[in-house]
Amino acid sequence: MAVSTVYTTQSFHSTCSISTPSKTHLGFNQKKQILFYNSGKKVTNRGIAAVPYVIRCSGDTLVIGLAADSGCGKSTFMRRLTSVFGGAAEPPKGGNPDSNTLISDTTTVICLDDYHSLDRTGRKEKGVTALDPRANDFDLMYEQVKAMKEGKAVDKPIYNHVTGLLDPPELIKPPKILVIEGLHPMFDQRVRDLLDFSIYLDISNEVKFAWKIQRDMAERGHSLESIKASIEARKPDFEAYIDPQKQYADAVIEVLPTQLIPGDNEGKILRVRLIMKEGVKYFNPVYLFDEGSTISWIPCGRKLTCSYPGIKFTYGPESYFGHEVSVLEMDGQFDRLDELIYVESHLSNLSTKFYGEVTQQMLKHSEFPGSNNGTGLFQTIVGLKIRDLYEQITASKAAAPLQATKA
Amino acid sequence: RTRLVAAAAPEQIEEKVAESIKEAEETCSENPVSGECAAAWDEVEELSAAASHARDRKKESDPLESFCKDNPETDECRTYDN
């Protein structure tokens, strides 16, 4: 039996590669050797690594789906998520400047608008919106996501949001974590079955309206009427094709108007609910004080400064589309972000690496929208949960070949 | 060194948004529940989102940071880790 020592990153098989993590934030320890055993002439990929190096073979890419309507904070969520994994997410270098893809060390985010089968003129002629399944190529979406999950690079089209045309494709290499974000990540059953984890951002109509006013009122040509008309016109398709996807999500972040101020519809103070499905493998829902109990908690007092209208947490088991779920709710907003540590210390199962990581992540991006309320808090928590999921899946895959060689 | 600049200027998109709103209002005056009307307002939404993303990107750029990307060796840009 020959023993070969590998130092550099290289491929043995077309489908396998060894990657050296450049940073330690994912918890890998830095060792400098891997042993590969040759059985006969063929080099097998059953090498026993001391697991500092990740041996990536076909099927190692983790696929995460994020569904939300346009203008509902998908990009903020994406920036929080990629930040948990470390490193900044940037568009592919030297490619199409209007590319929707974001790439970081570990994560690649692709926008599902790139799978539009009809461009802007095509949709206008046929009288369909981008929300309509007829405007999207689910066969191509399935094929390409499947290929990337199997470790193959794909030539993905680019939908140009400025011109409304389908641009020439860009090459996307399979990342460690692939996030597909857009309107329909859970619409097609074949694509849905490829997802290792799925999230739905559910923004209530009142809040959506308030957010779009904030976003668009400065815009030329926009008025209250045009914003209202745009929401109303898209509503039938949204309710028919987008909204039903939330029943398949492993985690839903629901954003509602506050209940702390009676009759408030301004959308400034928010009641945010994190709905976590029970029984999902590698995903342990967060809980407050006591798992499975129903709890209402007002942290304001001597230890946490709150101005009007204060903060209220609620936690408890519920049923969501016939699934058993745990729901953590936060109503209100923080005045001082560093005091979030007080709340963090009462939450369990956060999948943090050290005490205070949630607070640290929130402080790191205090300028992002939602940093002083439940949207930022729950997005950060979901980010940590995804990191945990990734590490557990990677560990279980590394353990499987190890056991096979022992036997 | 040349640096990649976002292709579409925000002003250009803003003009498109205003145009698309006018167009949508016209389309919907004929038949407010047609697919054409929904598609026209969907275009407005898409362009508004693109405009807002372009505005965010513009806002984020710090004049010194962007200068330093091109000229990292100048006095005001040099940083040493230790």
Side-chain angles (χ1 to χ4, degrees):
Chain A
M1 188 189 269
V3 176
S4 63
T5 312
V6 185
Y7 291 97
T8 48
T9 306
Q10 51 180 264
S11 303
F12 275 112
H13 274 237
S14 51
T15 51
C16 287
S17 68
I18 308 162
S19 63
T20 320
S22 52
K23 290 181 186 120
T24 47
H25 52 252
L26 283 176
F28 304 110
N29 43 353
Q30 304 276 10
K31 274 201 170 185
K32 290 274 173 185
Q33 272 191 355
I34 314 183
L35 300 178
F36 272 77
Y37 294 85
N38 284 359
S39 52
K41 279 174 195 160
K42 218 178 131 204
V43 180
T44 60
N45 56 20
R46 292 255 173 88
I48 317 170
V51 198
Y53 288 77
V54 185
I55 301 182
R56 305 183 6 83
C57 297
S58 43
D60 271 8
T61 295
L62 193 77
V63 187
I64 291 156
L66 172 66
D69 196 7
S70 115
C72 288
K74 279 194 295 273
S75 37
T76 309
F77 191 0
M78 268 3 297
R79 288 195 287 175
R80 284 191 202 280
L81 177 63
T82 41
S83 158
V84 168
F85 284 97
E90 279 169 356
K93 285 194 180 71
N96 187 332
D98 287 326
S99 163
N100 305 308
T101 307
L102 286 174
I103 297 174
S104 75
D105 284 355
T106 47
T107 320
T108 295
V109 183
I110 61 171
C111 173
L112 293 177
D113 289 353
D114 292 335
Y115 293 107
H116 281 336
S117 55
L118 299 171
D119 62 9
R120 199 177 283 156
T121 349
R123 292 198 298 271
K124 251 193 203 162
E125 277 166 11
K126 292 234 164 80
V128 294
T129 65
L131 310 168
D132 197 304
R134 282 173 292 171
N136 294 281
D137 187 347
F138 288 106
D139 293 338
L140 185 67
M141 192 193 290
Y142 167 65
E143 273 164 33
Q144 297 206 332
V145 173
K146 185 165 176 275
M148 276 190 273
K149 201 175 165 126
E150 287 168 354
K152 294 174 206 143
V154 297
D155 267 319
K156 180 190 61 56
I158 299 174
Y159 177 74
N160 189 319
H161 285 99
V162 181
T163 60
L165 299 169
L166 285 156
D167 285 353
E170 59 185 352
L171 184 74
I172 306 287
K173 289 184 193 141
K176 287 179 186 153
I177 299 163
L178 174 71
V179 184
I180 54 172
E181 58 104 346
L183 295 163
H184 305 94
M186 289 99 91
F187 184 85
D188 187 276
Q189 203 209 320
R190 296 166 300 168
V191 181
R192 198 160 66 222
D193 291 343
L194 291 173
L195 300 177
D196 293 293
F197 196 74
S198 50
I199 309 143
Y200 185 92
L201 286 183
D202 189 4
I203 316 297
S204 68
N205 290 328
E206 297 94 328
V207 177
K208 209 183 266 185
F209 185 54
W211 283 4
K212 293 207 169 161
I213 289 175
Q214 272 179 29
R215 187 192 72 181
D216 292 335
M217 270 310 246
E219 198 72 59
R220 265 201 312 133
H222 260 304
S223 59
L224 269 184
E225 283 70 43
S226 66
I227 294 167
K228 212 179 269 174
S230 174
I231 292 180
E232 285 302 318
R234 295 171 79 252
K235 210 183 228 170
D237 281 359
F238 180 80
E239 276 164 8
Y241 309 121
I242 312 302
D243 204 48
Q245 292 180 92
K246 62 188 180 195
Q247 60 187 298
Y248 306 115
D250 297 316
V252 177
I253 297 179
E254 224 172 60
V255 185
L256 305 149
T258 182
Q259 285 179 340
L260 298 172
I261 307 168
D264 181 90
N265 268 339
E266 269 182 81
K268 280 195 186 118
I269 297 177
L270 301 173
R271 179 165 74 100
V272 188
R273 287 156 55 84
L274 173 61
I275 302 164
M276 299 162 281
K277 211 179 250 182
E278 290 285 344
V280 178
K281 207 180 176 193
Y282 304 121
F283 174 59
N284 300 310
V286 177
Y287 65 87
L288 181 66
F289 296 117
D290 182 39
E291 193 166 12
S293 299
T294 299
I295 291 160
S296 170
W297 179 44
I298 296 171
C300 304
R302 286 187 197 118
K303 285 180 186 155
L304 191 73
T305 323
C306 305
S307 59
Y308 179 80
I311 302 177
K312 184 181 176 188
F313 276 88
T314 320
Y315 165 77
E318 272 181 39
S319 166
Y320 189 76
F321 290 97
H323 295 290
E324 203 185 316
V325 294
S326 284
V327 181
L328 179 64
E329 178 184 309
M330 176 185 160
D331 197 348
Q333 60 185 38
F334 302 110
D335 291 325
R336 296 183 45 174
L337 199 51
D338 43 349
E339 286 175 343
L340 176 62
I341 189 78
Y342 178 67
V343 172
E344 182 181 348
S345 64
H346 290 90
L347 292 167
S348 304
N349 260 352
L350 285 169
S351 304
T352 47
K353 295 257 187 231
F354 52 86
Y355 174 70
E357 194 178 11
V358 172
T359 308
Q360 192 220 46
Q361 280 292 336
M362 294 277 286
L363 282 168
K364 209 164 145 189
H365 304 295
S366 52
E367 79 286 359
F368 285 7
S371 287
N372 63 346
N373 63 41
T375 54
L377 175 64
F378 293 159
Q379 286 174 357
T380 305
I381 290 175
V382 170
L384 293 167
K385 282 284 158 199
I386 290 171
R387 183 182 66 186
D388 190 36
L389 188 89
Y390 170 73
E391 285 175 358
Q392 287 187 62
I393 290 178
T394 316
S396 73
K397 273 187 183 157
L402 190 70
Q403 273 175 354
T405 20
K406 269 183 191 161
Chain B
R1 282 199 331 181
T2 52
R3 216 166 58 81
L4 211 77
V5 190
E11 300 76 37
Q12 221 182 320
I13 311 176
E14 264 166 48
E15 223 149 273
K16 277 190 170 177
V17 175
E19 258 172 60
S20 68
I21 292 172
K22 239 186 246 156
E23 213 175 294
E25 278 164 352
E26 277 164 30
T27 315
C28 294
S29 62
E30 291 156 28
N31 186 353
V33 285
S34 64
E36 282 74 22
C37 168
W41 279 119
D42 190 41
E43 183 187 323
V44 173
E45 171 58 32
E46 196 174 284
L47 285 166
S48 308
S52 125
H53 284 150
R55 248 179 292 141
D56 284 348
R57 238 172 307 165
K58 203 182 169 196
K59 212 170 27 185
E60 266 164 36
S61 69
D62 180 284
L64 182 62
E65 294 276 325
S66 42
F67 171 77
C68 287
K69 254 186 200 161
D70 295 335
N71 310 285
E73 68 296 327
T74 51
D75 277 351
E76 52 271 63
C77 297
R78 262 183 285 177
T79 50
Y80 299 99
D81 284 337
N82 51 43

